[in-house]
Amino acid sequence: MILRLAAPSDAAAVADLERALLGVDAWSEAVVLSEIEGPGRHAVVAVEGEEVVGYAVTLASSDLVDLQRIAVRDSHQRRGIAGRLLDEVVAAAREVGADRMLLEVSATNSPALAFYASAGFVEIDRRRRYYRDGSDAVVMRHSLKGAGRQERMET
């Protein structure tokens, strides 16, 4: 499995993965393409063979980077892929001079909350009834100041 920058040609595969993992909240292929190509975006895919098995997308704005998405195909979860994707986008955020990363995650998604907490994210706020299912969004922050474990992408 390798990590690499997402290319426009990955948009269909990422959109398929979005639909499989997020259902009605999935990004369309057009939105995925805009996230790959848009200004301030950093999009990374995890590829095994020819298959996109995970991806992460961030949006940088000044000293803040927002983790828009990070997802791994169900059949490839619990293999460290999400951790590698997160390490990559955190390292890239530091390289552009960001001092913090924010994200939102459903309060009902215990595995994701635990994953982010183990990576150094802390809850800073809640957005009530943020998601379509009525669940709250937990807003989390990770300080990018100082050193952290970072593995960079393979090419």
Side-chain angles (χ1 to χ4, degrees):
M1 197 264 327
I2 65 164
L3 298 184
R4 63 170 170 76
L5 291 175
S9 60
D10 295 314
V14 171
D16 287 344
L17 193 48
E18 276 272 316
R19 282 187 295 278
L21 295 170
L22 301 171
V24 297
D25 291 318
W27 287 341
S28 68
E29 187 174 337
V31 171
V32 169
L33 185 60
S34 71
E35 292 297 323
I36 290 172
E37 296 183 316
R41 276 27 175 232
H42 182 72
V44 180
V45 291
V47 180
E48 190 170 89
E50 297 295 315
E51 180 184 23
V52 173
V53 298
Y55 60 97
V57 178
T58 61
L59 172 60
S61 176
S62 186
D63 59 352
L64 170 70
V65 170
D66 187 44
L67 180 59
Q68 303 279 40
R69 288 281 209 263
I70 188 168
V72 174
R73 185 175 304 286
D74 287 342
S75 61
H76 288 72
Q77 291 179 2
R78 308 261 186 260
R79 296 186 189 179
I81 297 170
R84 288 187 60 199
L85 287 163
L86 184 59
D87 285 348
E88 173 54 35
V89 296
V90 165
R94 283 186 173 124
E95 286 179 7
V96 298
D99 64 13
R100 66 197 183 283
M101 181 176 282
L102 297 179
L103 63 83
E104 291 140 351
V105 61
S106 174
T108 63
N109 191 341
S110 297
L113 289 165
F115 168 72
Y116 293 125
S118 73
F121 284 82
V122 295
E123 181 176 340
I124 60 168
D125 203 0
R126 292 226 174 190
R127 295 186 179 165
R128 302 289 175 217
R129 302 186 54 77
Y130 183 79
Y131 294 103
R132 289 184 193 199
D133 67 0
S135 65
D136 294 348
V138 177
V139 181
M140 301 182 84
R141 178 187 47 79
H142 179 52
S143 174
L144 301 178
K145 297 175 183 172
R149 180 181 72 87
Q150 299 300 321
E151 296 176 16
R152 293 310 310 237
M153 293 185 302
E154 300 170 31
T155 55

